[in-house]
Amino acid sequence: MKKLIVITGASSGFGKEMALHFSAAGHPLLLLARRTAHMLALNLPNTLVKEVDVTDYKAFETAIHEAESIYGKVDLLVNNAGLMLLGNIWTQDPAEWQTMLNVNVQGVLNGTKIVLADMMARNEGSIINVSSIAGKKTFGNHAAYSATKYGVHALTETIREEVSATNVRVMLVAPGAAETELLQHTTDNDIKEGYNEWKETMGGISLDPKHVANSVKFMYDLPQEVSIRELVIAATKQGS
């Protein structure tokens, strides 16, 4: 059996496609999200499904230790779980800012801490953090969301530098606008409509999540001594 891969936010979008890709390649999986039915419906072999909120450190840690007791040590953690709550700072509910900080930043830190020390001791292992093109450049209505994703870029690069001598890879993928459920979390309907109108400038079709999954698998499949530090991927017609 191949090595264990953990994917957060695995019930839809990028996470779901990654689960399908890595399972097809023969990897055992731990799939984590708040909606277990969606993950169970994939019916993947050698797969443990757990209802876990990544902001709950103990639940996150317990799930990983259970999977390791079955499938061996985690070789790849994909910190994919995230929320996009778009809004203007002068009108948006501050609770939405905190929710995004908790999931998008604290959740990534939680997962990283749980697996990293053991990876460093073994001198092997990979962590891939899913950020966003909004973690590299700004967009209207994205202030708080971009702040969290800029944070993911910063923590990824900092940790990569800190652990590089141990041969552990800490990498990042930054997708552009994609066909996922992220926009559904936004509570401002006017912003949703504006986002969809912007998508129409790309022909109404944004990035297919399967291409992000392919890219993540490519990053992982390279030899351990090779690290793609950061990959930005977007639809060709996305000009901004």
Side-chain angles (χ1 to χ4, degrees):
M1 187 177 294
K2 293 188 177 181
K3 294 179 179 179
L4 173 61
I5 291 174
V6 178
I7 304 170
T8 70
S11 61
S12 65
F14 302 139
K16 174 184 173 181
E17 289 296 332
M18 290 177 208
L20 293 171
H21 279 64
F22 281 112
S23 180
H27 286 277
L29 303 174
L30 169 60
L31 303 182
L32 304 176
R34 290 175 292 182
R35 299 178 299 178
T36 56
H38 291 68
M39 297 182 288
L40 290 169
L42 298 176
N43 196 31
L44 300 177
N46 299 314
T47 296
L48 181 63
V49 168
K50 288 292 179 179
E51 180 181 355
V52 169
D53 183 335
V54 294
T55 67
D56 184 339
Y57 183 90
K58 290 305 296 182
F60 201 164
E61 182 180 47
T62 297
I64 285 179
H65 288 170
E66 181 179 347
E68 288 184 323
S69 72
I70 302 169
Y71 302 119
K73 295 294 186 179
V74 174
D75 196 55
L76 170 64
L77 166 65
V78 184
N79 282 311
N80 170 67
L83 284 175
M84 183 175 75
L85 302 170
L86 302 183
N88 296 312
I89 292 302
W90 57 92
T91 59
Q92 192 171 22
D93 184 346
E96 294 191 349
W97 312 339
Q98 191 62 58
T99 298
M100 284 190 289
L101 284 166
N102 291 345
V103 175
N104 297 357
V105 179
Q106 187 69 45
V108 172
L109 290 170
N110 284 347
T112 300
K113 177 175 174 61
I114 292 165
V115 303
L116 189 56
D118 190 65
M119 287 181 175
M120 294 169 68
R122 291 184 282 121
N123 297 117
E124 66 177 3
S126 302
I127 297 169
I128 298 178
N129 296 330
V130 179
S131 182
S132 168
I133 201 169
K136 292 181 63 67
K137 66 186 301 297
T138 57
F139 297 86
N141 307 315
H142 284 60
Y145 176 69
S146 285
T148 67
K149 291 303 186 178
Y150 268 79
V152 172
H153 275 71
L155 70 87
T156 302
E157 179 61 11
T158 301
I159 299 168
R160 184 201 65 77
E161 292 176 358
E162 292 173 333
V163 307
S164 58
T166 70
N167 200 45
V168 173
R169 300 184 297 184
V170 183
M171 302 174 281
L172 180 142
V173 59
E179 294 298 318
T180 70
E181 297 180 2
L182 271 179
L183 184 62
Q184 294 180 17
H185 302 140
T186 293
T187 55
D188 188 316
N189 288 327
D190 289 339
I191 290 176
K192 281 185 180 180
E193 290 176 8
Y195 190 96
N196 286 323
E197 288 173 2
W198 170 67
K199 194 171 75 171
E200 287 300 318
T201 67
M202 296 184 281
I205 301 174
S206 51
L207 186 65
D208 190 320
K210 70 182 181 183
H211 299 306
V212 175
N214 277 329
S215 299
V216 166
K217 189 172 184 300
F218 172 75
M219 294 165 74
Y220 172 70
D221 284 342
L222 287 171
Q224 186 70 32
E225 64 270 20
V226 180
S227 175
I228 295 180
R229 298 181 181 182
E230 179 178 323
L231 177 69
V232 181
I233 178 171
T236 303
K237 289 187 176 181
Q238 182 176 340
S240 57

